[in-house]
Amino acid sequence: MPIRMTLLAVTAGLALVASLGSAYADDKAAAAVASDENGKYADKDGNPTFKIQEDGTVDWYTYSGFRRFNSDCFVCHGADGAGSSFAPALANSLKTMTYADFLSIVAEGRKNLSAGKENVMPAFGNNKNVYCYMDDLYVYLRARAVGDLPRGRPAKHEDKPPAAKEAEASCMGG
Ligand code: HEC
């Protein structure tokens, strides 16, 4: 009897850890714009977010993220983040993934060796074309996941803010 109780407690504990691990959920309300720093938007927690106006105009970073995604991610993750037989649909993944987790997976990569598969997410921590645009990628995929951003190239976007030009020059040049 005592052994059984212990097992039950351990199982309950594991279930709790598992549920805590997946508790994060993003949605439109959480992603709402709370601040604007030179055309770069953040939510109430200070994490980067997208802005989509009523006529469909997206902020610069969301548009830039679309372009970066199409040059460096889409071959594995599918058009518009819809996934492929090889890599997960990031338009779903970001519904439950924090900004911090996104940054670390993209920088460090990941390897899933389960079920005899060898699906590898490459590490992009040394690739300027990716790490200089991490926030762009994040807000684009966040907009796809929770912001109703339609598939395809955003038709209209805000102008590139001077701050984006400066950040790009110093990151790409440095
Ligand atoms: C060579 C193919 C490939 C490329 C290119 C690639 N990925 Fe991945 N990515 C994968 C695979 C495969 C996985 C799943 C790995 C696993 O299951 O551990 C993955 C997983 C991820 C995850 C975790 C998803 C989840 O649901 O847990 C994120 C986030 C991610 N990739 C972002 C990106 C971004 C952003 C880019 C472009 C800068 C990119 N990936 C480019 C193959 C790729």
Side-chain angles (χ1 to χ4, degrees), residues 70 122 134 146 172:
N70 277 284
M134 282 289 212
V146 304
M172 294 295 286

Side-chain angles (χ1 to χ4, degrees), residues 72-73 76-77 86 88 90 93 97 110 112 119-122 124:
D72 289 296
C73 320
C76 294
H77 287 283
F86 180 74
L90 298 180
S93 301
M97 184 177 291
R110 220 172 63 183
N112 182 1
N119 289 358
V120 177
M121 164 65 193
F124 287 98

Side-chain angles (χ1 to χ4, degrees), residues 86 112-119:
F86 180 74
N112 182 1
L113 300 177
S114 63
K117 286 192 190 172
E118 189 169 331
N119 289 358

Side-chain angles (χ1 to χ4, degrees), residues 38 80 135 153 155 172:
N38 304 313
D80 311 306
D135 286 355
R153 174 179 289 263
M172 294 295 286

Side-chain angles (χ1 to χ4, degrees), residues 75-101:
V75 330
C76 294
H77 287 283
D80 311 306
S84 73
S85 58
F86 180 74
L90 298 180
N92 282 334
S93 301
L94 266 74
K95 292 182 169 133
T96 51
M97 184 177 291
T98 63
Y99 174 52
D101 285 345

